[in-house]
Amino acid sequence: MTTIHINQNQSLEGAAQAVTEGKLVVFPTETVYGLGAHALDNTAVASIFTAKNRPPDNPLIVHIHEQSQIESLCVNVPDIAYSLWERFSPGPLTLILERHHTVPAIVSAGLDTIALRIPSHPRAQEFLKLAGVPIAAPSANVSGRPSPTDFRMACEYMDGRADYIIDGGPCEIGLESTVVLCREDRLIILRPGKITRDELSAVAGPRIPVYFLEESEERHLAMSSPGTRHPHYKPVAEVRIVSDLIQWKQDIDQEKTLIMGVLALEDQEITHPGIHVLRFSSVDQYAREFYKSLQDLDRQGVDIIYCMPVPDEGVGHALMNRMRRAAGLE
Ligand code: TXA
Ligand code: MG
């Protein structure tokens, strides 16, 4: 398949038309690039699973450009969902609601629920508006690998697999959206992201508690959000999280024959000859460039990527979640 690249000044009309006809279009969002197909077209949605090599039991997020589209995609929407849309959409928030029977089951891997998100990236908004139909889109990586956060990464994964790739520059957030299961009486964070529990709690108020999946009584929901259990975000190199600097220095002395890379904040002391060190000036930048850095170090043929941890709070919580998964710890 020849893949058409659309640069940042070009019209999106061709790609939008193509997606309504069942083609696959990679588009940028503020979190990561997505691999989009017409959500109401069974065959088009099936082709996403093939292009990504995605396990068929892993449901997709449906992308829309405005709230008015919600009604035709889900039923029994609790009030709290509207409050969350008001506060956080468009933006990096995905809500899990009850699926409308007209949405093909394949989108949700057979579940009764549907994941919905309104991305804020201007090119995503423009594309969704022109297409005029809901777009199912997982991250545009090959299954298991780090998600693409710039055009080059998107092309590396999807040239020859998607019909169009839209360039939207580097993604502003760099980690996938916060996924929240939305019930009338509680919210459960299935995947942490830029929007934190505290921010959700501030909207939910004292009567609607917000849980992380691990601490909720419904841990079995992990089964219904398989994205939380399949291997994810793994580069070719082995990823290790550094917990003890002294131990780490001993380890790298013993592993001299291997090529090593390190990801760290600017103030973390880690000088060592012969190591590729990538530094970030803030946790936000670390999160934004995390996947790209894994990819860059893979390109340089690094064997082991050591990641310096960050405080497990705010976007740091989402970053640590992805780091642990990249390291195969979750
Ligand atoms: O930021 C994002 O969310 C990006 C961009 C492209 O929007 N998309 C993304 O999609 O990360 P994906 O497919 O890589 O991750 C979707 C996550 C998976 O963990 C999946 O299991 C979960 O959402 N999910 C989707 N539908 C669900 C449902 N009905 N119930 C529970 N979890 C669901
Ligand atoms: Mg993904």
Side-chain angles (χ1 to χ4, degrees):
M1 170 194 294
T2 358
T3 303
I4 300 172
H5 291 177
I6 312 244
N7 71 36
Q8 298 201 43
N9 313 313
Q10 271 176 307
S11 157
L12 299 185
E13 268 167 34
Q17 177 63 31
V19 88
T20 64
E21 292 163 1
K23 302 278 197 264
L24 289 179
V25 176
V26 174
F27 63 100
T29 81
E30 67 280 18
T31 57
V32 303
Y33 278 68
L35 171 63
H38 188 334
L40 307 179
D41 176 338
N42 261 293
T43 317
V45 174
S47 67
I48 291 181
F49 287 87
T50 317
K52 267 192 71 117
N53 231 337
R54 185 175 176 100
D57 64 350
N58 196 356
L60 307 174
I61 296 174
V62 174
H63 296 69
I64 52 181
H65 67 89
E66 62 183 15
Q67 272 196 48
S68 66
Q69 294 171 283
I70 299 173
E71 316 280 305
S72 61
L73 299 168
C74 47
V75 292
N76 300 328
V77 180
D79 289 345
I80 177 64
Y82 290 103
S83 311
L84 294 172
W85 291 122
E86 281 308 317
R87 168 74 180 78
F88 299 113
S89 283
L93 177 70
T94 295
L95 296 186
I96 311 289
L97 297 159
E98 280 180 52
R99 179 166 56 89
H100 196 289
H101 67 89
T102 51
V103 180
I106 185 177
V107 170
S108 303
L111 299 173
D112 297 336
T113 50
I114 182 170
L116 285 181
R117 171 159 125 76
I118 307 178
S120 64
H121 192 295
R123 290 294 257 179
Q125 278 279 328
E126 192 185 340
F127 171 62
L128 293 168
K129 241 179 243 171
L130 283 169
V133 295
I135 301 290
S139 47
N141 50 293
V142 173
S143 229
R145 306 292 308 282
S147 305
T149 52
D150 64 18
F151 182 63
R152 177 177 175 188
M153 275 179 94
C155 294
E156 276 175 13
Y157 288 126
M158 287 299 148
D159 270 339
R161 294 175 187 250
D163 297 282
Y164 287 82
I165 304 179
I166 299 170
D167 185 357
C171 301
E172 199 182 309
I173 296 171
L175 299 179
E176 302 83 352
S177 60
T178 308
V179 177
V180 179
L181 178 73
C182 210
R183 295 268 169 79
E184 214 168 313
D185 59 348
R186 62 197 183 285
L187 300 176
I188 300 166
I189 300 174
L190 301 183
R191 179 176 69 186
K194 171 83 176 165
I195 295 174
T196 63
R197 169 169 41 193
D198 288 351
E199 289 175 301
L200 294 166
S201 293
V203 175
R207 281 184 300 118
I208 303 181
V210 185
Y211 301 107
F212 285 116
L213 183 59
E214 314 80 88
E215 52 183 35
S216 87
E217 287 159 15
E218 295 167 276
R219 245 166 301 166
H220 64 275
L221 286 173
M223 297 305 290
S224 61
S225 188
T228 57
R229 67 185 155 78
H230 286 299
H232 256 80
Y233 321 123
K234 284 186 154 181
V236 175
E238 182 186 338
V239 173
R240 293 188 195 163
I241 301 177
V242 178
S243 53
D244 175 341
L245 266 186
I246 296 170
Q247 178 66 45
W248 174 67
K249 283 185 176 142
Q250 287 169 5
D251 288 351
I252 52 176
D253 282 336
Q254 279 170 10
E255 286 161 345
K256 279 210 185 83
T257 53
L258 298 177
I259 309 172
M260 284 173 277
V262 181
L263 308 186
L265 287 169
E266 255 163 21
D267 56 2
Q268 288 171 316
E269 161 89 39
I270 36 131
T271 46
H272 208 278
I275 291 186
H276 304 262
V277 184
L278 300 180
R279 289 190 176 279
F280 311 103
S281 61
S282 63
V283 176
D284 277 337
Q285 192 199 4
Y286 199 157
R288 181 161 54 244
E289 295 181 10
F290 180 63
Y291 292 143
K292 180 179 177 306
S293 303
L294 297 180
Q295 186 91 343
D296 285 348
L297 291 174
D298 262 350
R299 248 185 244 122
Q300 293 174 42
V302 161
D303 298 300
I304 304 179
I305 302 173
Y306 286 100
C307 299
M308 296 292 162
V310 299
D312 207 321
E313 61 198 26
V315 76
H317 180 70
L319 176 57
M320 289 312 298
N321 168 275
R322 306 308 193 274
M323 220 185 258
R324 284 193 290 268
R325 286 169 158 269
L329 298 177
E330 272 180 23

